[in-house]
Amino acid sequence: HQVPEIARKLGMTIDEVKAHVELIRHLDPKPGSRYNRPDSHYVIPDVYVVKVEDQYVALLNEEGLPQLRISPVYRRLLDKSAENTDETRAYVKDKFRSALWLIKSVEQRQKTIHKVATSIITFQREFLDHGIEVLRPLVLRDVANDIGMHESTVSRVVTNKYMHTPQGVFEMKYFFHSGISSSYGESVSSVTIKQRIRKIIGGEDLKKPLSDSKIVNILQKEGLVLARRTIAKYREELKIPTSNQRKMLY
């Protein structure tokens, strides 16, 4: 962004350099990618969050889940009156048990997903109503204690599962974040703080961009006490450049 220096070295006016900069800025750095576009992968939610009167409820998406049942043919093979050997009946009985175990496991999986989703709805009611700004800090232990299961079970359930909410489609893992205590006594989600940082930077004067220290001061006035290195970490996770890199010198 050292436009005045570039203009001086090239013997051009600042306006001429700005015109060239704008042209370069709109060039495609990877022109070949337009001819090799990757296939689009669409997320199919595992859970739909629907508002019924004044309450949110979790509805499982079972469209892609086959209805499992045991064929009557194999049930008849267990009939002692049929002309089957004891060895055949023992073999079928063993497979029958395995099939029942599989069916019950799938049913239990669905019940567990529903329990976890319902617990998330309970904890994140304000988010469902108002959005990311009021996302509540939440850890796996909170949900595990709420539904009476182990943390590892909750962790497995939320992996690669998605929820369709009034605020959009989110991975179930998205709702689990650490919290930072505010001066007014409540914990604020790290996601909410990142959102606030994005908004603060989005409204800055590009000729005088805000340093991480200044962002610390702004958040401190709002009751959020964070270290400068924490702000830097969150800014990097948001893929936002440093204040020097954001500065426009013309």
PDB file of all heavy atoms in Angstrom, residues 189-204:
ATOM      1  N   SER A 189     -19.377 -16.024  24.879  1.00  0.00           N
ATOM      2  CA  SER A 189     -18.767 -17.013  24.001  1.00  0.00           C
ATOM      3  C   SER A 189     -17.640 -16.407  23.179  1.00  0.00           C
ATOM      4  O   SER A 189     -17.709 -15.247  22.757  1.00  0.00           O
ATOM      5  CB  SER A 189     -19.822 -17.603  23.061  1.00  0.00           C
ATOM      6  OG  SER A 189     -19.217 -18.349  22.034  1.00  0.00           O
ATOM      7  N   SER A 190     -16.608 -17.195  22.931  1.00  0.00           N
ATOM      8  CA  SER A 190     -15.492 -16.732  22.105  1.00  0.00           C
ATOM      9  C   SER A 190     -15.970 -16.423  20.680  1.00  0.00           C
ATOM     10  O   SER A 190     -15.425 -15.542  20.018  1.00  0.00           O
ATOM     11  CB  SER A 190     -14.391 -17.798  22.060  1.00  0.00           C
ATOM     12  OG  SER A 190     -14.883 -19.031  21.589  1.00  0.00           O
ATOM     13  N   VAL A 191     -17.003 -17.129  20.215  1.00  0.00           N
ATOM     14  CA  VAL A 191     -17.551 -16.869  18.874  1.00  0.00           C
ATOM     15  C   VAL A 191     -18.173 -15.476  18.829  1.00  0.00           C
ATOM     16  O   VAL A 191     -18.025 -14.737  17.860  1.00  0.00           O
ATOM     17  CB  VAL A 191     -18.609 -17.928  18.502  1.00  0.00           C
ATOM     18  CG1 VAL A 191     -19.266 -17.596  17.171  1.00  0.00           C
ATOM     19  CG2 VAL A 191     -17.974 -19.300  18.427  1.00  0.00           C
ATOM     20  N   THR A 192     -18.892 -15.107  19.890  1.00  0.00           N
ATOM     21  CA  THR A 192     -19.515 -13.791  19.973  1.00  0.00           C
ATOM     22  C   THR A 192     -18.451 -12.696  19.974  1.00  0.00           C
ATOM     23  O   THR A 192     -18.607 -11.653  19.325  1.00  0.00           O
ATOM     24  CB  THR A 192     -20.372 -13.686  21.253  1.00  0.00           C
ATOM     25  OG1 THR A 192     -21.361 -14.712  21.228  1.00  0.00           O
ATOM     26  CG2 THR A 192     -21.040 -12.335  21.359  1.00  0.00           C
ATOM     27  N   ILE A 193     -17.349 -12.944  20.679  1.00  0.00           N
ATOM     28  CA  ILE A 193     -16.260 -11.956  20.740  1.00  0.00           C
ATOM     29  C   ILE A 193     -15.617 -11.803  19.356  1.00  0.00           C
ATOM     30  O   ILE A 193     -15.319 -10.688  18.915  1.00  0.00           O
ATOM     31  CB  ILE A 193     -15.209 -12.368  21.790  1.00  0.00           C
ATOM     32  CG1 ILE A 193     -15.836 -12.316  23.187  1.00  0.00           C
ATOM     33  CG2 ILE A 193     -13.984 -11.458  21.715  1.00  0.00           C
ATOM     34  CD1 ILE A 193     -14.975 -12.879  24.277  1.00  0.00           C
ATOM     35  N   LYS A 194     -15.423 -12.905  18.655  1.00  0.00           N
ATOM     36  CA  LYS A 194     -14.863 -12.835  17.300  1.00  0.00           C
ATOM     37  C   LYS A 194     -15.776 -12.031  16.380  1.00  0.00           C
ATOM     38  O   LYS A 194     -15.309 -11.232  15.562  1.00  0.00           O
ATOM     39  CB  LYS A 194     -14.672 -14.246  16.731  1.00  0.00           C
ATOM     40  CG  LYS A 194     -13.528 -15.017  17.351  1.00  0.00           C
ATOM     41  CD  LYS A 194     -13.444 -16.406  16.748  1.00  0.00           C
ATOM     42  CE  LYS A 194     -12.403 -17.260  17.453  1.00  0.00           C
ATOM     43  NZ  LYS A 194     -12.355 -18.644  16.913  1.00  0.00           N
ATOM     44  N   GLN A 195     -17.079 -12.260  16.523  1.00  0.00           N
ATOM     45  CA  GLN A 195     -18.039 -11.512  15.723  1.00  0.00           C
ATOM     46  C   GLN A 195     -17.940 -10.014  16.017  1.00  0.00           C
ATOM     47  O   GLN A 195     -18.026  -9.180  15.111  1.00  0.00           O
ATOM     48  CB  GLN A 195     -19.459 -12.023  16.023  1.00  0.00           C
ATOM     49  CG  GLN A 195     -20.568 -11.351  15.230  1.00  0.00           C
ATOM     50  CD  GLN A 195     -20.675 -11.863  13.809  1.00  0.00           C
ATOM     51  OE1 GLN A 195     -19.851 -12.664  13.378  1.00  0.00           O
ATOM     52  NE2 GLN A 195     -21.677 -11.416  13.071  1.00  0.00           N
ATOM     53  N   ARG A 196     -17.748  -9.687  17.292  1.00  0.00           N
ATOM     54  CA  ARG A 196     -17.629  -8.277  17.691  1.00  0.00           C
ATOM     55  C   ARG A 196     -16.348  -7.677  17.120  1.00  0.00           C
ATOM     56  O   ARG A 196     -16.353  -6.528  16.650  1.00  0.00           O
ATOM     57  CB  ARG A 196     -17.618  -8.174  19.225  1.00  0.00           C
ATOM     58  CG  ARG A 196     -17.579  -6.762  19.751  1.00  0.00           C
ATOM     59  CD  ARG A 196     -18.892  -6.036  19.526  1.00  0.00           C
ATOM     60  NE  ARG A 196     -18.792  -4.611  19.856  1.00  0.00           N
ATOM     61  CZ  ARG A 196     -18.761  -3.647  18.951  1.00  0.00           C
ATOM     62  NH1 ARG A 196     -18.851  -3.936  17.663  1.00  0.00           N
ATOM     63  NH2 ARG A 196     -18.668  -2.391  19.314  1.00  0.00           N
ATOM     64  N   ILE A 197     -15.247  -8.440  17.154  1.00  0.00           N
ATOM     65  CA  ILE A 197     -13.977  -7.967  16.590  1.00  0.00           C
ATOM     66  C   ILE A 197     -14.129  -7.695  15.095  1.00  0.00           C
ATOM     67  O   ILE A 197     -13.649  -6.679  14.575  1.00  0.00           O
ATOM     68  CB  ILE A 197     -12.849  -8.987  16.844  1.00  0.00           C
ATOM     69  CG1 ILE A 197     -12.519  -9.064  18.339  1.00  0.00           C
ATOM     70  CG2 ILE A 197     -11.596  -8.642  16.041  1.00  0.00           C
ATOM     71  CD1 ILE A 197     -11.574 -10.188  18.715  1.00  0.00           C
ATOM     72  N   ARG A 198     -14.813  -8.598  14.401  1.00  0.00           N
ATOM     73  CA  ARG A 198     -15.025  -8.424  12.960  1.00  0.00           C
ATOM     74  C   ARG A 198     -15.793  -7.119  12.676  1.00  0.00           C
ATOM     75  O   ARG A 198     -15.480  -6.383  11.753  1.00  0.00           O
ATOM     76  CB  ARG A 198     -15.801  -9.618  12.399  1.00  0.00           C
ATOM     77  CG  ARG A 198     -15.857  -9.650  10.871  1.00  0.00           C
ATOM     78  CD  ARG A 198     -16.903 -10.644  10.395  1.00  0.00           C
ATOM     79  NE  ARG A 198     -16.544 -12.006  10.755  1.00  0.00           N
ATOM     80  CZ  ARG A 198     -15.726 -12.772  10.036  1.00  0.00           C
ATOM     81  NH1 ARG A 198     -15.184 -12.290   8.929  1.00  0.00           N
ATOM     82  NH2 ARG A 198     -15.464 -14.014  10.422  1.00  0.00           N
ATOM     83  N   LYS A 199     -16.816  -6.842  13.506  1.00  0.00           N
ATOM     84  CA  LYS A 199     -17.613  -5.638  13.306  1.00  0.00           C
ATOM     85  C   LYS A 199     -16.812  -4.374  13.614  1.00  0.00           C
ATOM     86  O   LYS A 199     -16.923  -3.363  12.912  1.00  0.00           O
ATOM     87  CB  LYS A 199     -18.864  -5.682  14.192  1.00  0.00           C
ATOM     88  CG  LYS A 199     -19.956  -6.599  13.655  1.00  0.00           C
ATOM     89  CD  LYS A 199     -21.244  -6.412  14.426  1.00  0.00           C
ATOM     90  CE  LYS A 199     -22.367  -7.229  13.792  1.00  0.00           C
ATOM     91  NZ  LYS A 199     -23.666  -7.033  14.486  1.00  0.00           N
ATOM     92  N   ILE A 200     -16.005  -4.439  14.675  1.00  0.00           N
ATOM     93  CA  ILE A 200     -15.182  -3.279  15.041  1.00  0.00           C
ATOM     94  C   ILE A 200     -14.225  -2.932  13.902  1.00  0.00           C
ATOM     95  O   ILE A 200     -14.110  -1.781  13.488  1.00  0.00           O
ATOM     96  CB  ILE A 200     -14.401  -3.554  16.345  1.00  0.00           C
ATOM     97  CG1 ILE A 200     -15.356  -3.602  17.544  1.00  0.00           C
ATOM     98  CG2 ILE A 200     -13.334  -2.480  16.561  1.00  0.00           C
ATOM     99  CD1 ILE A 200     -14.708  -4.061  18.828  1.00  0.00           C
ATOM    100  N   ILE A 201     -13.549  -3.955  13.363  1.00  0.00           N
ATOM    101  CA  ILE A 201     -12.584  -3.734  12.278  1.00  0.00           C
ATOM    102  C   ILE A 201     -13.313  -3.312  11.002  1.00  0.00           C
ATOM    103  O   ILE A 201     -12.815  -2.479  10.235  1.00  0.00           O
ATOM    104  CB  ILE A 201     -11.738  -4.996  12.050  1.00  0.00           C
ATOM    105  CG1 ILE A 201     -10.824  -5.241  13.256  1.00  0.00           C
ATOM    106  CG2 ILE A 201     -10.903  -4.886  10.777  1.00  0.00           C
ATOM    107  CD1 ILE A 201     -10.013  -6.517  13.201  1.00  0.00           C
ATOM    108  N   GLY A 202     -14.498  -3.872  10.791  1.00  0.00           N
ATOM    109  CA  GLY A 202     -15.266  -3.526   9.598  1.00  0.00           C
ATOM    110  C   GLY A 202     -15.684  -2.067   9.562  1.00  0.00           C
ATOM    111  O   GLY A 202     -15.913  -1.504   8.482  1.00  0.00           O
ATOM    112  N   GLY A 203     -15.779  -1.426  10.721  1.00  0.00           N
ATOM    113  CA  GLY A 203     -16.194  -0.028  10.778  1.00  0.00           C
ATOM    114  C   GLY A 203     -15.057   0.943  10.999  1.00  0.00           C
ATOM    115  O   GLY A 203     -15.299   2.131  11.256  1.00  0.00           O
ATOM    116  N   GLU A 204     -13.816   0.494  10.901  1.00  0.00           N
ATOM    117  CA  GLU A 204     -12.673   1.364  11.171  1.00  0.00           C
ATOM    118  C   GLU A 204     -12.355   2.284   9.994  1.00  0.00           C
ATOM    119  O   GLU A 204     -12.790   2.043   8.851  1.00  0.00           O
ATOM    120  CB  GLU A 204     -11.438   0.514  11.509  1.00  0.00           C
ATOM    121  CG  GLU A 204     -10.878  -0.232  10.314  1.00  0.00           C
ATOM    122  CD  GLU A 204      -9.718  -1.164  10.665  1.00  0.00           C
ATOM    123  OE1 GLU A 204      -9.366  -1.248  11.846  1.00  0.00           O
ATOM    124  OE2 GLU A 204      -9.197  -1.810   9.740  1.00  0.00           O
TER     125      GLU A 204
END
